[in-house]
Amino acid sequence: MLNMSKIPGSAVEPVTSALLSIGFTDFALRELGATKGRPPSSYGGEWVDHLSWGVDSAYSAARFLFSGQFLGATAILRSQFERWTENAAYNTNTTHKKGESVANFAARAWAKCHKDFPFARREIRENPNASESESDSAADSTQDSAHELSVTIGKDHKVHPAELMDSMSNLLHSRGPWVDVLHWDSGQLLGGTPPPSLGEVANKLSDAIALNLRHIRLCLAALAEEQGKMDLPHKILSSSFEMARGGHNPPALPSLIPMLPNAGLMPEVVAGLEDAARAHDGVMSGKRPAGRLYRDDEFSLLHFYERRARAANWALTAFEIEKERTGSLDFDYLKNRDFRYLVAAEMAGLVSVWLGRGPAADAAAACSSAMRSAYWLWLEDDDRALATLRVLLEQCGRLRVWTEKPEKAEKLEASTSRTPKDWLVAAGWRRLSALNKALGEFSRAHANIRWDGAREILQKIQHGDMDPEDSVHMARGHSLDALTFLLLTESIGSASKLSPAIGAAFREIVNDLLIEENKLLADREALFNRTLLQKDASLGDYSFRGPADATRRPR
């Protein structure tokens, strides 16, 4: 965590600059009725709160970028990019063609919707199934042509949505040229020489933040028009915020650390965040709480601290709710879990170092990074913890195949059509298909997602003797624990292949400090069998309604 404050300014400035493109968005959200004090992780019921969730998500991703957790940031940004791609497509009557890649569809939707920014193109959808114009069809004639489509931010900064979508997907599957940032996070703990791709990763993911925020501003401007607040759209859509310099200083370290009673929730940390939130509220009310105007770099961080203050207050509220429900709070139990997750992440990180460089090492590095990000998100009741657990499940399977069946692993790595399921099948984990399916739903944010049904599957996978009233609240935590034990098992197995002595040391650590090996293996087998019972479970109804109904692809 101390190394987080040493991340090069060249990797920080693109992020703070992207956040600065928020402009008048916070002011507009308040004017348009967004719920004040809402939890940043809630995707909201009203449209204005849903837009607020989109803005808050940019700051959640930024927090991981400032912390060197690029996989966690990408999990958030990819789902957000997918969400606003569909909105752009809906408003321009851009349809997803049969056989078309998600990246190509994103490129066409963004290029068409933002062609004349800030004058958005919105078409009347008299027939949602109507074919698109010949020019739009031509844009999809080849993969290369779609990848050439771009959106211009500021005066001349071109962003290619297809390339961005492909790059984020590759990182989430721990492949491609960005993988070295995962090794820097997991194996080097952000120390030593930064990886060659750090600048590119920071810039590209910051582009994703900027595009998402720009599209949300379009939605807010349209909402302001609908509400008759005609003075707002011009302010919201001002392009002067885009590509402004946000400064190279990251947020203060206490605002980044996990929401634990002895870390991010310490009274002095929360008090500092609340002071910043009050300053933010003063600015939104037209005051000058600092006695002067804030500089751009200060303003960028002020928005950030306001989100972290809300996250802290909701974490404290969750503790109070739990205390009312159970009659007590066991912080020692939370500390024990914290230690368990830390050990699991560190073991996988060490394995990634000892394996050198290659697909097996990439899998171990991704496991370590995903473990840490999932834990931090779980602490904030954020369902995107489950998206990073999907990465952890896939990469655990991949690591196991490389450990036990290297020839099979080589064939899968060479396949361009492999899926997370393929790694699980090759690992001998067919029984975990329902878990993979449920976690996969939380990895996305498109019209076809079904979060309620996925959550029900996770609920039923828990121990059979658990009270149903409690199990719905503990499904996220159970998934985190289950995959932690899975990761510990695979780290021991991989380390044992590298060196019997190292494997024995890992086994001793787990036995003495976390869980006896016999119980670890018995619990894993029980998890596999409980999950198998849900193999035919339905995911139920769709989560998004309204315009999503018109854009939904048949199952």
Side-chain angles (χ1 to χ4, degrees), residues 47-68:
W47 177 234
V48 67
D49 283 335
H50 190 68
L51 295 175
S52 186
W53 168 68
V55 177
D56 290 342
S57 295
Y59 288 87
S60 295
R63 179 224 183 174
F64 281 121
L65 291 176
F66 292 135
S67 303

Side-chain angles (χ1 to χ4, degrees), residues 224-236:
E225 288 182 359
E226 291 171 6
Q227 292 189 10
K229 298 183 178 181
M230 306 308 293
D231 59 322
L232 281 180
H234 176 71
K235 295 178 181 179
I236 294 171

Side-chain angles (χ1 to χ4, degrees), residues 428-497:
W429 293 351
R430 287 180 183 271
R431 287 178 289 172
L432 294 182
S433 62
L435 178 60
N436 182 52
K437 178 172 68 172
L439 295 177
E441 289 296 300
F442 290 100
S443 302
R444 304 286 188 168
H446 53 60
N448 280 357
I449 57 100
R450 291 163 287 173
W451 288 333
D452 291 339
R455 196 184 311 279
E456 187 174 344
I457 290 175
L458 297 179
Q459 180 184 356
K460 291 178 178 177
I461 286 174
Q462 297 177 84
H463 301 292
D465 57 355
M466 185 170 292
D467 187 327
E469 196 170 311
D470 291 333
S471 65
V472 68
H473 301 291
M474 301 175 71
R476 243 188 331 248
H478 174 267
S479 299
L480 178 61
D481 284 340
L483 287 173
T484 300
F485 290 134
L486 201 66
L487 177 58
L488 288 171
T489 304
E490 296 315 314
S491 293
I492 291 172
S494 184
S496 298
K497 282 293 179 98

Side-chain angles (χ1 to χ4, degrees), residues 237-513:
L237 297 176
S238 173
S239 59
S240 62
F241 303 109
E242 295 190 335
M243 302 308 294
R245 301 289 290 272
H248 61 271
N249 293 319
L253 183 61
S255 70
L256 301 176
I257 58 182
M259 291 296 178
L260 288 165
N262 62 343
L265 293 180
M266 291 190 296
E268 59 270 30
V269 174
V270 176
L273 292 173
E274 288 180 336
D275 282 344
R278 281 190 287 272
H280 179 271
D281 188 63
V283 172
M284 293 301 104
S285 302
K287 301 174 183 176
R288 296 187 181 186
R292 58 173 175 79
L293 294 175
Y294 284 98
R295 300 190 307 271
D296 281 352
D297 58 338
E298 295 175 312
F299 205 65
S300 180
L301 296 183
L302 195 63
H303 287 296
F304 181 85
Y305 293 140
E306 189 275 336
R307 267 77 186 180
R308 299 311 299 154
R310 270 194 280 137
N313 283 322
W314 276 100
L316 291 170
T317 299
F319 282 138
E320 289 302 316
I321 292 173
E322 183 177 348
K323 185 176 181 180
E324 290 178 7
R325 188 169 59 86
T326 63
S328 64
L329 278 177
D330 187 356
F331 285 139
D332 286 337
Y333 174 66
L334 189 58
K335 289 178 184 177
N336 290 337
R337 293 182 76 163
D338 174 50
F339 183 66
R340 182 194 308 158
Y341 304 142
L342 184 150
V343 169
E346 294 297 317
M347 280 188 171
L350 286 171
V351 168
S352 75
V353 173
W354 292 327
L355 284 170
R357 292 305 296 267
D362 294 344
C367 285
S368 177
S369 188
M371 178 82 255
R372 188 178 298 111
S373 294
Y375 171 44
W376 285 26
L377 287 165
W378 170 74
L379 286 169
E380 300 187 23
D381 291 331
D382 194 324
D383 277 340
R384 288 167 298 202
L386 300 168
T388 51
L389 288 180
R390 166 69 179 279
V391 175
L392 178 54
L393 178 59
E394 176 193 1
Q395 297 304 317
C396 263
R398 185 185 182 196
L399 181 60
R400 180 176 179 82
V401 179
W402 272 107
T403 301
E404 303 293 336
K405 308 172 187 176
E407 292 182 359
K408 177 68 174 177
E410 286 183 3
K411 290 180 180 179
L412 275 176
E413 294 288 354
S415 172
T416 58
S417 60
R418 68 185 179 277
T419 66
K421 182 180 178 181
D422 293 328
W423 287 115
L424 300 188
V425 170
W429 293 351
R430 287 180 183 271
R431 287 178 289 172
L432 294 182
S433 62
L435 178 60
N436 182 52
K437 178 172 68 172
L439 295 177
E441 289 296 300
F442 290 100
S443 302
R444 304 286 188 168
H446 53 60
N448 280 357
I449 57 100
R450 291 163 287 173
W451 288 333
D452 291 339
R455 196 184 311 279
E456 187 174 344
I457 290 175
L458 297 179
Q459 180 184 356
K460 291 178 178 177
I461 286 174
Q462 297 177 84
H463 301 292
D465 57 355
M466 185 170 292
D467 187 327
E469 196 170 311
D470 291 333
S471 65
V472 68
H473 301 291
M474 301 175 71
R476 243 188 331 248
H478 174 267
S479 299
L480 178 61
D481 284 340
L483 287 173
T484 300
F485 290 134
L486 201 66
L487 177 58
L488 288 171
T489 304
E490 296 315 314
S491 293
I492 291 172
S494 184
S496 298
K497 282 293 179 98
L498 286 164
S499 160
I502 293 174
F506 270 24
R507 186 173 285 108
E508 183 178 353
I509 289 170
V510 173
N511 266 299
D512 291 351
L513 301 179

Side-chain angles (χ1 to χ4, degrees), residues 152-183:
T152 302
I153 298 179
K155 289 185 177 180
D156 55 9
H157 180 63
K158 292 188 180 298
V159 179
H160 296 83
E163 177 192 357
L164 196 53
M165 182 67 89
D166 281 341
S167 296
M168 289 192 288
S169 178
N170 281 334
L171 187 62
L172 290 175
H173 293 292
S174 191
R175 61 187 183 227
W178 290 3
V179 170
D180 56 3
V181 298
L182 301 185
H183 288 275

